[in-house]
Amino acid sequence: YLQDAAAAVAWTFRNIEKYDGDAAKIFVSGHSAGGYLTSMIGMDKRWLAECGIDADQIAGLIPLSGHTITHMTVREERGIPQKQPVVDEFAPLYHVRPDAPPILLITGDREMEMLGRYEENAYFMRMLKVVGHKDVTLYELQGYGHGMVEPAIAPMLKWMRARGSHAGAKPK
């Protein structure tokens, strides 16, 4: 699944100009498992490198309620209990680096989210700041649980616009 996600992003980089897009404005986002994939391909540069793309070309990473520890599917494949947190090479937290693309982390309300999801993202943000990352933000959407995609759209578009994207702009 990490190779598939990287291949999809690489395809976008190679083909965006055919669709009048700008490779300098490619933001990667996903929800839940997609948020995990977003973080992994942006933080662990090997996945996109296999496709001939430098992860640092991504304009921004926007995982929505994504795992920052090793994903539960990977843990299940390894016979590790779901409630056993693991931080290894399959965890975005393992790959914190100061030169990663800008990152917007969005989760639901910590009391309504999946177990530990807000806290994982808060720790991810903290560790990125500790290593010197200059552009990481965390939003906790009060009153929303794990299915918080719709209320995440407005802050996501605002954040993208602030980084030079015209996402959501009306056509001329």
Side-chain angles (χ1 to χ4, degrees):
Y1 27 85
L2 287 163
Q3 290 171 322
D4 289 345
V9 171
W11 182 93
T12 303
F13 273 101
R14 287 192 288 274
N15 291 282
I16 194 167
E17 290 181 6
K18 294 177 189 175
Y19 300 95
D20 296 321
D22 182 348
K25 296 179 180 177
I26 295 174
F27 289 80
V28 178
S29 185
H31 174 253
S32 196
Y36 166 78
L37 295 171
T38 295
S39 295
M40 280 299 296
I41 66 168
M43 299 304 295
D44 183 352
K45 296 177 75 165
R46 71 178 155 155
W47 301 107
L48 281 169
E50 287 178 6
C51 300
I53 302 293
D54 182 351
D56 293 343
Q57 292 176 256
I58 298 170
L61 302 169
I62 311 168
L64 306 174
S65 193
H67 266 305
T68 68
I69 62 174
T70 299
H71 194 275
M72 65 181 75
T73 301
V74 175
R75 293 189 316 240
E76 182 179 329
E77 289 169 350
R78 294 175 168 179
I80 300 169
Q82 284 219 354
K83 292 184 181 171
Q84 174 63 52
V86 174
V87 176
D88 62 10
E89 72 274 14
F90 292 105
L93 263 167
Y94 186 84
H95 301 281
V96 295
R97 57 190 176 88
D99 59 340
I103 304 169
L104 173 62
L105 304 163
I106 304 179
T107 73
D109 186 315
R110 68 187 81 187
E111 299 301 327
M112 301 172 73
E113 247 302 353
M114 290 183 76
L115 178 64
R117 196 59 55 97
Y118 167 81
E119 291 80 5
E120 283 181 47
N121 280 265
Y123 188 63
F124 188 39
M125 180 183 73
R126 177 71 176 132
M127 294 312 295
L128 283 161
K129 288 183 176 186
V130 165
V131 299
H133 193 282
K134 302 287 188 225
D135 192 355
V136 57
T137 303
L138 170 63
Y139 287 146
E140 176 184 9
L141 299 175
Q142 298 295 316
Y144 293 93
H146 189 64
M148 40 51 84
V149 174
E150 186 178 346
I153 293 171
M156 185 166 78
L157 291 174
K158 181 179 178 183
W159 184 85
M160 292 167 65
R161 285 187 195 113
R163 278 142 195 85
S165 170
H166 299 289
K170 297 188 185 213
K172 295 179 183 178

